[in-house]
Amino acid sequence: MPQELLLQVLPEIAANELLLNDYLAKQIKVTAKEIEHVSILKRSIDARQKAVKINLKVMIYLKGESFQEHKFLLPDYKNVTTAPEVIVVGAGPAGLFAALQLIELGLKPIVIERGKDVRGRRRDLKAINVEHLVNEDSNYCFGEGGAGTYSDGKLYTRSKKRGDVTRILELFVAFGASEDILIDAHPHIGTNKLPQIIQDIRQKIIECGGQVLFETRLTDILVKNNEVQGIVTQNGDTILANKMILATGHSARDIFELLDRKQIFIEAKPFALGVRAEHPQSLIDSIQYSCDYRGENLPPAPYSIVKQVGGRGMYSFCMCPGGVIAPCATSPGEVVTNGWSPSKRDQATANSGIVIELKLEDFQPFAKFGALAGMEFQKSIEQKAWRLAGGTQKVPAQRMIDFTQNKVSSEIPKTSYVPGTTSVEMGQVFPGFLTQILREGFSEFGKSMRGYMTNEAVLHAPESRTSSPVRIPRDPLTYVHVQIKGLYPCGEGAGYAGGIISAAIDGEKCALMIAAILNK
């Protein structure tokens, strides 16, 4: 009978099949030749001690024990060409996985996406990086696959209570992702590989009779007697359906404004805001792995820090080892940063959002905007940063120690942020209380990670799109909007998810709720 084993090994053993087989043979007291196959079930890194170890959970099959390779197949998706229609607004993970679930349940999704397909988006990303031109409908946040497609592709969620994480990961594998995402503690597809997977998901939706309409922006929701009747697009086209999943992402400010204007109930939601810090990856490796050189058998090291500073949480967010910082503005006249890593995480720098929890009372200066107060607070910082950095997609930047000492950096080294940087005293970007917390917090971070606090690190401002500044309230049992029947707020933009996996799960849940009604 196959044996399951939990073990800790050196990185060079974990990375070499022959060495690992020899090690396992000694553990279970057989010869290496008696081992037919080893399946790695789980893998993580333990860097708490000076000697870094790899935690493995393996299944060992000896000669004569049957091992059958598991094939990850797509569900039995139906042809839904003539099925009841459901409008899905947004082709991010929430919208795409909602569409797949609808098809699986025999319903026809009509997916509308304001941005372009994955290939079309690339030209607009080049324009923002090189020419400083922001396309309001096609950028790092908007377009096929949503913000995750070109701004990282991390596949882990802190909350296992959200739903079936394994199902989502297995669907990604069935669509072409590496099986490593089922094994690694912090799975990651990579910005270079995710676009093809997203494109294949879209193709499957179309093959099954669903529709995917690009460059189609929602401009109005048709409501009668507090029930959805359909939508109007920017071209004046009308799409009729009485069920709609609204999965527009955390940066769709025009949608929040539309809902507010139509007096469809929304509410301000706290979020987090701060800077994106970039270090040499070799420095983070030396801190995390306690070595001068990490070697070939360890991946670029990530880090995670959480501190309480001034009564607020300050923490690392969307940490990207071996990655780069990207310009993520969605309108002219603002700058926004985010980070991403390619699948090999082979860039020379590491970056992370370092952000502070905000409270609703922080938005009081914008109280006249009602439920949009947090959004206007967010917008004001992004616009101020744009002005301070020179009115282009360059961002305000400062060396880390200089920032804590309130000293303008005499020069900023070249960073991974392609549009460039402008040396600015970052205290000018943020309200005073945020600046003070950031300064104190970096000193605290330096105590936890010796070497982290350094002028080799460059801060870029702002990291402001951590989550939606608005919540679109829904019934916790049915997922229907609390006021408008047939409207299903979904994913990050509605305030119910925080990343690719949780957004995908939320999309599936909304689809299940709709199917429970339409398939009665």
Side-chain angles (χ1 to χ4, degrees), residues 223-455:
V223 177
K224 184 178 180 181
N225 298 327
N226 278 345
E227 184 170 3
V228 167
Q229 304 294 304
I231 62 169
V232 179
T233 71
Q234 88 275 20
N235 297 321
D237 297 328
T238 297
I239 302 173
L240 298 177
N242 62 6
K243 296 288 183 286
M244 180 177 82
I245 295 175
L246 188 63
T248 51
H250 58 42
S251 292
R253 290 171 172 166
D254 59 324
I255 300 301
F256 301 145
E257 290 167 346
L258 170 65
L259 296 174
D260 192 53
R261 191 165 61 248
K262 292 184 72 72
Q263 297 183 323
I264 295 175
F265 185 56
I266 59 175
E267 58 192 8
K269 181 182 78 63
F271 58 102
L273 185 145
V275 299
R276 190 150 280 267
E278 181 170 275
H279 290 76
Q281 180 63 56
S282 58
L283 174 60
I284 299 300
D285 290 341
S286 68
I287 295 170
Q288 296 296 81
Y289 293 146
S290 303
C291 62
D292 293 330
Y293 171 62
R294 75 168 187 268
E296 297 178 357
N297 299 312
L298 285 171
Y303 65 83
S304 176
I305 315 180
V306 180
K307 294 288 183 183
Q308 284 292 315
V309 185
R312 296 175 189 252
M314 177 170 161
Y315 56 92
S316 54
F317 169 83
C318 183
M319 196 274 148
C320 300
V324 301
I325 300 177
C328 291
T330 52
S331 295
E334 65 188 26
V335 291
V336 180
T337 66
N338 197 353
W340 60 266
S341 301
S343 57
K344 292 183 179 179
R345 294 179 161 171
D346 54 1
Q347 302 300 299
T349 52
N351 69 79
S352 180
I354 306 297
V355 296
I356 295 164
E357 293 176 332
L358 297 175
K359 302 175 181 179
L360 289 177
E361 53 262 37
D362 298 329
F363 310 148
Q364 192 57 40
F366 300 88
K368 69 179 181 180
F369 295 101
L372 303 179
M375 186 185 86
E376 293 297 330
F377 174 93
Q378 181 188 60
K379 192 190 296 184
S380 70
I381 288 174
E382 294 168 1
Q383 291 172 346
K384 185 187 293 184
W386 179 80
R387 292 192 298 270
L388 287 168
T392 66
Q393 282 303 300
K394 287 187 175 183
V395 294
Q398 194 169 11
R399 292 177 182 264
M400 186 179 286
I401 292 177
D402 289 347
F403 171 67
T404 62
Q405 296 177 351
N406 193 16
K407 183 170 70 176
V408 176
S409 300
S410 57
E411 53 88 27
I412 302 293
K414 182 175 173 57
T415 73
S416 67
Y417 184 81
V418 173
T421 59
T422 300
S423 182
V424 169
E425 202 298 286
M426 298 256 259
Q428 297 179 68
V429 177
F430 303 106
F433 76 93
L434 279 181
T435 301
Q436 187 59 33
I437 292 170
L438 281 168
R439 285 180 174 146
E440 292 177 19
F442 278 120
S443 297
E444 293 299 312
F445 278 24
K447 294 173 186 176
S448 295
M449 284 180 64
R450 296 196 179 279
Y452 181 87
M453 179 79 158
T454 171
N455 256 356

Side-chain angles (χ1 to χ4, degrees), residues 86-235:
V86 178
I87 298 169
V88 180
V89 185
L96 291 175
F97 277 80
L100 289 173
Q101 183 71 274
L102 288 167
I103 291 170
E104 193 175 345
L105 297 166
L107 299 172
K108 178 179 178 177
I110 302 176
V111 183
I112 72 162
E113 167 57 51
R114 68 190 299 162
K116 299 176 183 176
D117 63 31
V118 287
R119 298 191 185 282
R121 286 178 76 180
R122 290 174 181 163
R123 291 186 290 274
D124 298 312
L125 300 187
K126 182 178 180 181
I128 192 172
N129 274 291
V130 177
E131 302 170 50
H132 300 247
L133 297 175
V134 181
N135 182 327
E136 294 186 78
D137 287 322
S138 179
N139 45 62
Y140 276 99
C141 291
F142 300 147
E144 186 176 20
T149 303
Y150 287 111
S151 59
D152 204 45
K154 291 184 181 68
L155 295 179
Y156 55 92
T157 177
R158 288 184 174 88
S159 176
K160 303 299 181 185
K161 296 178 182 178
R162 291 185 186 273
D164 191 347
V165 173
T166 301
R167 170 183 157 86
I168 301 299
L169 293 176
E170 288 182 350
L171 276 172
F172 271 117
V173 172
F175 275 107
S178 166
E179 291 183 26
D180 284 349
I181 68 173
L182 299 167
I183 296 168
D184 291 329
H186 290 155
H188 173 258
I189 291 180
T191 297
N192 55 322
K193 292 190 173 182
L194 193 54
Q196 184 61 52
I197 293 167
I198 295 298
Q199 186 172 293
D200 291 345
I201 291 173
R202 177 238 303 171
Q203 197 56 46
K204 177 57 68 175
I205 293 169
I206 294 170
E207 280 176 15
C208 293
Q211 289 181 261
V212 182
L213 309 175
F214 294 111
E215 299 183 69
T216 304
R217 178 164 28 91
L218 171 69
T219 56
D220 197 12
I221 302 171
L222 304 176
V223 177
K224 184 178 180 181
N225 298 327
N226 278 345
E227 184 170 3
V228 167
Q229 304 294 304
I231 62 169
V232 179
T233 71
Q234 88 275 20
N235 297 321

Side-chain angles (χ1 to χ4, degrees), residues 472-488:
I472 308 173
R474 68 187 186 192
D475 183 280
L477 297 178
T478 65
Y479 287 27
V480 180
H481 187 267
V482 294
Q483 174 194 4
I484 306 297
K485 294 177 183 177
L487 174 61
Y488 291 78

